[in-house]
Amino acid sequence: MDGSRKPIGRRGLLTLTAALAATAVAAPPAAATPPPRLVPGTPPAPASPAGVVRALERAAHPLRATDPGGTTADLRALGAMVAGARVVGLGEATHGSHEFFAMKHRVFQYLVEEHGFNTFALEMSWSAGLRIDEYLQGGPGDPRRIARETLAGSPWEREEFVRLIGWMRDHNSRRPDRPVHFMGDDLGAPALGDHIFDRVLSSVGTVGPQSLPRLTELYAGLRPLDDIFAHLRRPLPEREECAARAQAALDLVAGHQEAGGEAYAWTVRHARNVAQTFAFATVDLADPASITAAERLRDQAMADNVLWWQRRTGHRMLLSAHNGHVGYLSTHPDLYPHTQGAVLRDRLGRDYAAIGFTFAGGTFLTKDTSLGGDWKPVTVPAARPGMHEHTLDLVGHRDFYVDLRAAPPAARAWLDRPRPVHDAGSTFTPDPLPTLAIGRAYDVLVHLNRVRAADTLRAL
């Protein structure tokens, strides 16, 4: 069974995004960040957004549509902005908006067809990503059934991702010479599933059979991990013992790397994902410092998975995750002091580009509590004065994108200051809104006038 198959409570998030939101319950919400003091020599922010709007209008590129299909001429400038990157992060301001999800499909399809991209990476479990990729490479099933199996309970269990998976499978049938791949870059949540353990054991049984009894013993105390949230409710010493067993298993598996050869690297990666998942699960929910350390471990692990995949395959990758994971800054720096995007920029330099999303108003999906409840629509009114989105929405295009690195100084000075933004994960707090310095968080920004809730996955 796939590692993502079992719902947690009534929702069962596929990715560890839910776990992060869940741990955030234990910590007080981040206070609004005050505007930073200006460093001598730094140009002051404009007194009025009028000049900012004019500057943005000169730099903005209008979007024809967010849904895939039809001409992609309006994306050519975007392609040029990220042309040199090996990994492009594409964010989302919420986990439940149709336009963000559809735009990911549209941009990925364009980058595949026009710029030779090969892999779509998603903020979801490593093991579930493997299951989707097996389907894309000709495995059994259909897009809706695969989505139901791998995305159950997550914000991505939506028709938009069914259409993306379906397009990727169709592309591979039409272009077997240039197949596309799907990867999950996250830890094993809400579950690891037995199949990831089976893969490691089977491979070690072939390469280093003398180690198989000990590895079987180590994994016997860990499998199956069907509910990471239930595991988090176990006493901390028990969870620390599990993490030690998982690390010992990884050390044992990695010891056969030389004998196993190149193909065996996948086995080591699977074992590493198991070890990292149990290491994350040693978080002490009563200790804010432990929560922050766990969040940092998770973003580092996601970045490491992306880097490993890119180095091993040579693929050009589109990385889909929340704005706070693809960008360089988070709206909650106390929980996310060094984001996945910041790690990727540190390691790849200009070979990584981060694209963030903003929206002025509309409807998206969120939940009442991090640890339970169903995804349901929440509507926010148009952005109010003082918000970044209010200024962005004054630009004379309904939807547009802009290269923040090349934006006029007036626009950069405005966007480089922290201001309130719409930002929703598993839950949404409208008051106070979090703040973010958008100009420092991303390389490219896509702004949408309105969004609507993502489409519920239809029955099989």
Side-chain angles (χ1 to χ4, degrees):
M1 298 289 283
D2 188 85
S4 63
R5 78 194 192 290
K6 181 179 178 181
I8 305 304
R10 296 192 303 276
R11 56 164 177 102
L13 274 184
L14 168 67
T15 75
L16 210 48
T17 301
L20 302 186
T23 59
V25 173
T33 305
R37 296 179 179 177
L38 291 177
V39 177
T42 302
S48 166
V52 176
V53 173
R54 288 194 295 270
L56 286 170
E57 284 180 340
R58 292 195 299 271
H61 299 268
L63 275 173
R64 177 190 63 82
T66 53
D67 281 22
T71 178
T72 57
D74 59 325
L75 295 180
R76 289 174 186 163
L78 182 66
M81 293 172 191
V82 301
R86 288 183 281 165
V87 179
V88 174
L90 184 57
E92 54 198 47
T94 79
H95 276 323
S97 299
H98 165 81
E99 287 76 9
F100 298 151
F101 294 169
M103 189 72 176
K104 290 169 189 275
H105 180 171
R106 186 174 188 235
V107 170
F108 182 62
Q109 184 172 336
Y110 168 76
L111 291 176
V112 168
E113 294 174 344
E114 301 296 332
H115 291 274
F117 275 59
N118 318 86
T119 292
F120 185 94
L122 180 62
E123 178 193 348
M124 66 181 291
S125 74
W126 174 264
S127 57
L130 294 173
R131 174 69 184 94
I132 293 176
D133 196 55
E134 288 170 354
Y135 168 71
L136 297 182
Q137 309 314 315
D142 63 77
R144 184 161 284 101
R145 188 174 302 279
I146 296 299
R148 184 75 70 187
E149 291 177 4
T150 58
L151 303 173
S154 81
W156 304 291
E157 187 187 8
R158 307 293 157 197
E159 285 294 322
E160 291 85 356
F161 276 88
V162 170
R163 289 188 282 271
L164 171 63
I165 294 169
W167 177 81
M168 293 176 73
R169 168 83 172 218
D170 181 64
H171 169 88
N172 285 353
S173 67
R174 290 183 290 103
R175 294 298 309 271
D177 58 317
R178 288 184 52 200
V180 292
H181 292 265
F182 195 107
M183 76 162 290
D185 73 333
D186 215 333
L187 305 183
L192 279 168
D194 259 4
H195 76 289
I196 200 74
F197 294 99
D198 288 338
R199 287 187 183 209
V200 176
L201 288 166
S202 176
S203 181
V204 171
T206 299
V207 173
Q210 69 277 12
S211 298
L212 190 57
R214 176 56 178 158
L215 184 61
T216 301
E217 178 187 6
L218 288 169
Y219 275 167
L222 305 178
R223 62 186 299 189
L225 183 64
D226 284 339
D227 185 342
I228 194 171
F229 302 108
H231 182 77
L232 285 168
R233 290 190 286 270
R234 297 173 66 180
L236 180 58
E238 290 184 18
R239 290 184 277 130
E240 290 174 336
E241 173 60 25
C242 288
R245 293 174 68 90
Q247 181 60 47
L250 170 59
D251 293 341
L252 188 63
V253 172
H256 297 288
Q257 177 65 79
E258 185 175 350
E262 279 297 305
Y264 187 76
W266 286 96
T267 301
V268 177
R269 204 72 204 172
H270 300 332
R272 188 176 305 281
N273 190 256
V274 172
Q276 289 172 329
T277 299
F278 279 98
F280 175 88
T282 62
V283 60
D284 182 353
L285 299 180
D287 181 0
S290 178
I291 294 170
T292 298
E295 307 292 7
R296 184 159 189 159
L297 181 155
R298 184 218 176 188
D299 270 52
Q300 181 71 53
M302 291 196 295
D304 286 345
N305 284 333
V306 170
L307 291 165
W308 181 87
W309 184 289
Q310 200 286 319
R311 286 194 306 267
R312 178 166 180 80
T313 64
H315 288 180
R316 302 189 71 186
M317 304 173 63
L318 183 71
L319 169 61
S320 170
H322 192 276
N323 279 348
H325 292 303
V326 304
Y328 309 127
L329 300 174
S330 168
T331 55
H332 295 284
D334 54 334
L335 290 176
Y336 305 94
H338 200 63
T339 66
Q340 175 183 210
V343 175
L344 292 173
R345 179 178 59 181
D346 292 345
R347 299 285 293 277
L348 294 176
R350 293 184 179 181
D351 282 334
Y352 178 71
I355 304 175
F357 268 107
T358 55
F359 70 105
T363 303
F364 51 89
L365 298 173
T366 187
K367 301 182 316 92
D368 292 330
T369 63
S370 297
L371 287 174
D374 300 319
W375 294 91
K376 61 183 183 180
V378 170
T379 301
V380 294
R384 62 178 183 263
M387 295 179 64
H388 272 306
E389 293 91 339
H390 181 267
T391 299
L392 291 165
D393 216 44
L394 296 175
V395 173
H397 307 294
R398 177 180 174 85
D399 301 326
F400 65 90
Y401 58 92
V402 60
D403 189 337
L404 298 174
R405 300 162 298 187
R412 281 302 303 263
W414 182 268
L415 295 173
D416 279 356
R417 293 175 66 92
R419 302 181 194 279
V421 293
H422 286 316
D423 183 79
S426 295
T427 60
F428 174 63
T429 302
D431 187 22
L433 289 172
T435 65
L436 185 70
I438 285 177
R440 293 188 281 119
Y442 317 114
D443 297 306
V444 178
L445 180 70
V446 180
H447 178 73
L448 306 180
N449 174 258
R450 289 292 182 274
V451 299
R452 67 173 178 83
D455 298 326
T456 301
L457 190 63
R458 297 194 300 272
L460 294 171

